[in-house]
């Protein structure tokens, strides 16, 4: 018996007027994989991310979650199926306390998902040094603490797959390393992780496999070493470095 | 028990701690004893200030806590009032007529709000359009009711009455007992307390936290697994029922209603009460609704032609100097002063 991939897209298309943002994207992420999506500005990363979450509708093609077609589902329905996501800009609730932020996500009924989810959340809280009972207003936290809070908040909904849009944006070296550590530790618990990322050093640090997007298409895909060594990828993305 | 205490005393509203609750108890005692100290006329006027409070609370819930501004919530006030008049009027021989009428009034306002809200929220109408749509609904209702003069506009034995309005609406009561004067005042007081504490508990619950999260960031809340359309819809209907409760009490108090109750001027009033008090606090809106109704009544009963101009000016002053509401900002100021006072007292 073969199990369906955790996340799969089939010939996914999206146009904005004359601009093709997604051109027949086929993507397949296995359960327990840690995949990075990279590509230069305008490659279609954000559009793909928005379509995966259900914020934007695809013009054509399919999105499957663990074999289930979710193409026409609303964002909240996909979340209930086990997807968690963070955005490029921090969207933790600044007016609410740390405790309240962590209490907001909807928790699934399934006992198995709950147990596993609670374990993953505990890993995140420990790695980031966050206290789940902290009554500090989120708006008073530093930038990187806010980023971490948002990741922990998403994990409070006990997802099986998390989509992270530039989780280490704006962080300094030490904090970036901590974020990378968390992703690896979470992945070790079997959590499937898809990261959209700009910082190639971060990608090298965390990813097992990488998908390179260019002009709305999958340009290259493979293990992180092969991709970063690929001459063509270096040309379009790394500025021939 | 501690769960209940947390629901009532949680952070969803201003006012916590023993000093605050002692003040609340004293105020309530004052309101309870009030009828024995003043004339029946004054009791009746105070009942009028009280009966508007559910409408104000509905606005606070919808606008302040959920972030959706309705400029036409008086529509549900009017719908409940007229429906009560029609039902209770037709059942005037039955001892349960007023009760059936009250339930019917609330139900009709809930159904209308449910249908209207469904189209607004499930179509994901942009937020800034909602005040306009809601205002249009209430103005349509006013226009429609205004042309219902004449004998042909009757439901059963009750005439809608056009611009002269519906008269002879029965008071509320059970069987032989009728709520009038002092008993009506106590009815209003009890209902206001029930609405206030009920909402305070609702907003301190998990449901309330999600409502506030929707106000703060709709997309973030939806991507935490919530169908925000359903929540906004539910809050909209609940706030409409609260407006309907005020409408019911209004027609039971004055035994009449006219289309101007759902007109532009009346539509603006709950928005003003809520903004002046501070939309993010239930208590602030309770205080502002009571105070501004008292002010409007006092000014106009002294023959002052400018009551509405003064209320409007108050709104402008609030917007300029107290953008989060007068009561809310005063409470925040007190909150900053008090810990210092406590620290000094301990020394």
């Amino acid at each position: 018996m073969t199990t369906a991939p955790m996340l799969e897209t089939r010939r996914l298309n999206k146009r904005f007027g004359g601009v093709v943002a997604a051109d027949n994207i086929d993507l397949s992420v296995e359960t327990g994989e840690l995949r990075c999506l990279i590509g230069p500005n305008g490659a279609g990363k954000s559009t793909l991310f928005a379509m995966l979450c259900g914020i934007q509708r695809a013009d054509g093609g399919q999105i499957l979650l663990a074999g289930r077609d979710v193409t026409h589902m609303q964002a909240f329905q996909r979340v209930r199926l086990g997807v968690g996501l963070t955005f490029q800009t921090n969207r933790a609730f600044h007016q609410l306390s740390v405790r309240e932020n962590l209490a907001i996500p909807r928790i699934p009924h399934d006992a198995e998902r709950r147990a596993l989810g609670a374990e993953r959340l505990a890993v995140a809280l420990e790695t980031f040094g966050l206290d789940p009972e902290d009554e500090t207003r989120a708006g008073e936290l530093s930038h990187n603490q806010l980023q971490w809070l948002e990741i922990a908040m998403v994990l409070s909904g006990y997802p099986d797959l998390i989509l992270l849009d530039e989780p280490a944006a704006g962080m300094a070296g030490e904090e970036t390393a901590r974020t990378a550590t968390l992703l690896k530790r979470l992945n070790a618990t079997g959590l499937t992780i898809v990261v959209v990322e700009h910082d190639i050093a971060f990608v090298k640090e965390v990813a097992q496999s990488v998908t390179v997007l260019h002009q709305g298409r999958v340009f290259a895909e493979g293990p992180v070493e092969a991709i970063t060594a690929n001459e063509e990828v270096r040309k379009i993305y790394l500025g021939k470095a | 028990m501690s769960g209940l205490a947390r629901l009532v005393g949680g952070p969803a509203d201003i006012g916590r701690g023993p000093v605050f609750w002692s003040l609340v108890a004293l105020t309530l005692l004052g309101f309870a004893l009030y009828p024995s100290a003043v004339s029946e006329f004054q009791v009746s006027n105070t009942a009028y200030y009280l009966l508007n409070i559910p409408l104000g609370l509905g606005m606070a819930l919808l606008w302040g806590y959920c972030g959706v501004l309705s400029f036409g919530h008086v529509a549900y006030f009017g719908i409940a009032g007229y429906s009560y008049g029609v039902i209770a009027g037709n059942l005037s021989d039955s001892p349960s007529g007023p009760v059936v009428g009250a339930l019917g009034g609330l139900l009709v306002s809930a159904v209308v709000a449910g249908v209207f809200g469904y189209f607004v929220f499930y179509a994901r109408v942009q937020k800034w359009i909602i005040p306009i749509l809601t205002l249009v609904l209430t103005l349509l209702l006013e226009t429609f009711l205004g042309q219902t003069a004449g004998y042909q506009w009757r439901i059963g034995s009750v005439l809608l009455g056009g611009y002269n309005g519906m008269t002879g609406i029965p008071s509320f009561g059970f069987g032989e007992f009728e709520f009038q004067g002092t008993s009506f005042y106590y009815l209003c007081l009890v209902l206001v307390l029930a609405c206030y504490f009920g909402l305070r508990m609702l907003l301190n619950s998990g449901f309330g936290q999600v409502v506030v999260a929707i106000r703060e960031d709709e997309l973030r809340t939806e991507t935490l697994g919530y169908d925000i359309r359903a929540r906004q819809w539910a809050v909209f209907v609940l706030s409409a029922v609260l407006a309907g409760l005020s409408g019911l009490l209004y027609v039971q108090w004055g035994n009449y209603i006219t289309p101007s109750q759902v007109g532009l001027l009346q539509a603006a009033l709950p928005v003003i009460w809520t903004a002046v008090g501070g939309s993010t606090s239930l208590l602030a809106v309770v205080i502002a609704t009571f105070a501004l109704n008292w002010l409007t009544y006092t000014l106009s009963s002294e023959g002052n032609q400018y009551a509405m101009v003064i209320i409007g000016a108050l709104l402008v002053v609030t917007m300029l100097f107290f953008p989060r509401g007068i009561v809310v900002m005063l409470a925040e100021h007190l909150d900053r002063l008090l810990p210092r006072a406590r620290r000094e007292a301990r020394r």
Side-chain angles (χ1 to χ4, degrees):
Chain A
M1 197 186 92
T2 54
T3 47
M6 177 60 86
L7 175 68
E8 193 180 357
T9 68
R10 293 180 186 160
R11 303 183 67 77
L12 207 57
N13 279 292
K14 182 78 187 175
R15 287 173 164 276
F16 296 104
V19 181
V20 182
D23 186 3
N24 289 326
I25 294 182
D26 287 317
L27 187 74
S28 177
V29 180
E30 297 301 324
T31 303
E33 204 181 326
L34 200 170
R35 173 79 61 95
C36 282
L37 291 176
I38 65 171
N41 281 328
K45 300 188 299 290
S46 297
T47 305
L48 177 60
F49 184 83
M51 285 192 290
L52 293 178
C53 322
I55 299 165
Q56 259 169 15
R57 288 299 156 102
D59 293 339
Q62 271 185 311
I63 302 170
L64 293 99
L65 263 181
R68 189 164 170 181
D69 189 345
V70 298
T71 318
H72 301 290
M73 280 190 189
Q74 306 266 355
F76 75 91
Q77 291 169 314
R78 299 182 194 194
V79 172
R80 289 181 187 183
L81 289 176
V83 181
L85 57 110
T86 66
F87 301 91
Q88 208 168 357
T89 47
N90 188 274
R91 296 184 92 144
F93 299 101
H94 291 207
Q95 296 299 320
L96 304 183
S97 72
V98 170
R99 182 187 62 76
E100 287 169 323
N101 267 282
L102 295 175
I104 282 189
R106 189 178 182 278
I107 292 173
H109 298 298
D110 183 73
E112 203 177 317
R113 261 181 74 190
R114 281 186 177 210
L116 195 54
E119 185 192 319
R120 288 165 179 162
L121 174 62
V123 168
L125 293 175
E126 194 217 340
T127 310
F128 293 150
L130 283 169
D131 174 8
E133 296 302 320
D134 192 354
E135 292 290 350
T136 312
R137 229 164 48 86
E140 291 167 20
L141 300 180
S142 67
H143 168 76
N144 52 46
Q145 282 176 316
L146 265 175
Q147 295 281 86
W148 291 340
L149 175 63
E150 195 178 3
I151 295 175
M153 176 167 81
V154 167
L155 291 170
S156 304
Y158 303 159
D160 297 321
L161 161 69
I162 54 174
L163 307 171
L164 308 175
D165 197 352
E166 300 197 17
M171 285 188 189
E174 198 264 329
E175 286 104 27
T176 308
R178 237 158 113 178
T179 309
T181 305
L182 173 82
L183 295 192
K184 285 190 282 188
R185 287 183 67 183
L186 285 176
N187 185 237
T189 67
L191 183 68
T192 313
I193 304 175
V194 175
V195 186
V196 173
E197 191 49 72
H198 232 80
D199 179 355
I200 205 74
F202 186 78
V203 172
K204 280 183 181 165
E205 177 69 30
V206 300
Q208 296 153 353
S209 49
V210 176
T211 299
V212 185
L213 291 177
H214 184 48
Q215 293 176 344
R217 270 180 234 156
V218 174
F219 182 81
E221 197 167 87
V224 63
E225 303 81 17
I227 290 294
T228 45
N230 181 321
E231 270 308 311
E232 293 296 309
V233 172
R234 291 166 83 97
K235 243 183 230 169
I236 62 149
Y237 186 67
L238 306 173
K240 302 175 193 176
Chain B
M1 196 57 212
S2 72
L4 185 70
R6 208 174 41 239
L7 277 180
V8 176
D13 197 4
I14 54 171
R16 278 181 289 284
V19 177
F20 170 76
W21 289 111
S22 314
L23 276 175
V24 169
L26 266 179
T27 311
L28 287 181
L29 187 67
F31 270 98
L33 297 176
Y34 178 73
S36 58
V38 298
S39 70
E40 180 122 337
F41 177 69
Q42 280 169 301
V43 171
S44 175
N45 284 342
T46 309
Y48 174 75
Y49 314 146
L50 288 173
L51 70 82
N52 283 294
I53 290 176
L55 173 60
L57 283 172
M59 282 303 293
L61 170 69
L62 183 64
W63 182 24
Y65 287 85
C66 196
V68 175
L69 174 58
S70 164
F71 215 98
H73 249 44
V74 285
Y76 307 105
F77 178 102
I79 287 168
Y82 270 93
S83 303
Y84 173 83
V86 168
I87 299 169
N90 276 300
L91 295 175
S92 57
D93 294 334
S94 157
S96 58
V99 175
V100 176
L103 293 176
L106 294 179
L107 184 68
V108 175
S109 54
V111 168
V112 175
V115 173
F116 182 81
Y118 176 81
F119 288 111
V120 168
F121 296 112
Y122 280 78
R124 296 191 192 259
V125 166
Q126 284 183 39
K127 249 186 186 164
W128 63 271
I129 302 179
I130 297 176
I132 300 169
L133 289 176
T134 48
L135 180 61
V136 166
L137 179 75
T138 200
L139 295 183
L140 276 175
L141 186 66
E142 185 199 18
T143 310
F144 167 74
L145 288 170
Q147 55 84 54
T148 58
Y151 196 63
Q152 70 275 27
W153 286 101
R154 66 181 195 280
I155 301 174
S157 60
V158 176
L159 293 171
L160 292 181
Y163 267 107
N164 293 327
M166 188 185 278
T167 53
I169 299 174
S171 297
F172 189 61
F174 306 99
E176 292 290 297
F177 181 75
E178 235 179 39
F179 286 96
Q180 292 257 343
T182 305
S183 62
F184 183 75
Y185 166 89
Y186 283 118
L187 175 69
C188 292
L189 189 61
V190 167
L191 287 173
V192 164
L193 285 175
C195 290
Y196 174 71
F197 284 104
L199 282 179
R200 206 172 153 131
M201 286 163 73
L202 179 76
L203 288 166
N204 274 317
S205 72
F207 180 91
Q209 279 191 347
V210 175
V211 167
V212 173
I214 292 172
R215 175 193 76 195
E216 293 293 309
D217 190 336
E218 289 186 12
L219 181 60
R220 179 69 274 186
T221 312
E222 174 157 3
T223 52
L224 290 172
Y226 294 101
D227 186 355
I228 59 164
R229 305 166 304 175
R231 300 267 168 159
Q232 288 171 321
W233 178 84
V235 167
F236 186 80
V237 173
L238 177 58
S239 68
V241 169
L242 287 166
L245 179 61
S246 281
L248 278 185
L249 292 171
Y250 174 75
V251 296
Q252 291 163 354
W253 171 77
N255 307 107
Y256 70 94
I257 186 166
T258 64
S260 65
Q261 282 301 323
V262 297
L264 185 59
L265 179 63
Q266 293 297 322
L269 288 178
V271 180
I272 295 177
W273 306 333
T274 310
V276 169
S279 65
T280 55
S281 162
L282 298 170
L283 184 66
V285 173
V286 168
I287 294 171
T289 304
F290 187 87
L292 292 184
N293 273 289
W294 167 81
L295 183 66
T296 314
Y297 181 83
T298 309
L299 287 173
S300 47
S301 67
E302 281 171 3
N304 193 322
Q305 301 297 312
Y306 302 107
M308 282 302 140
V309 176
I310 291 171
I311 296 290
L314 193 60
L315 177 67
V316 174
V317 169
T318 304
M319 292 299 192
L320 288 176
F321 301 106
F322 302 92
R324 275 171 290 125
I326 293 177
V327 181
V328 166
M329 289 177 81
L330 284 178
E332 283 171 0
H333 193 65
L334 263 179
D335 217 35
R336 274 196 296 274
L337 287 180
L338 274 181
R340 197 185 309 154
R342 263 184 228 140
R343 270 202 307 276
E344 277 161 17
R346 227 175 280 149
R347 225 176 266 160

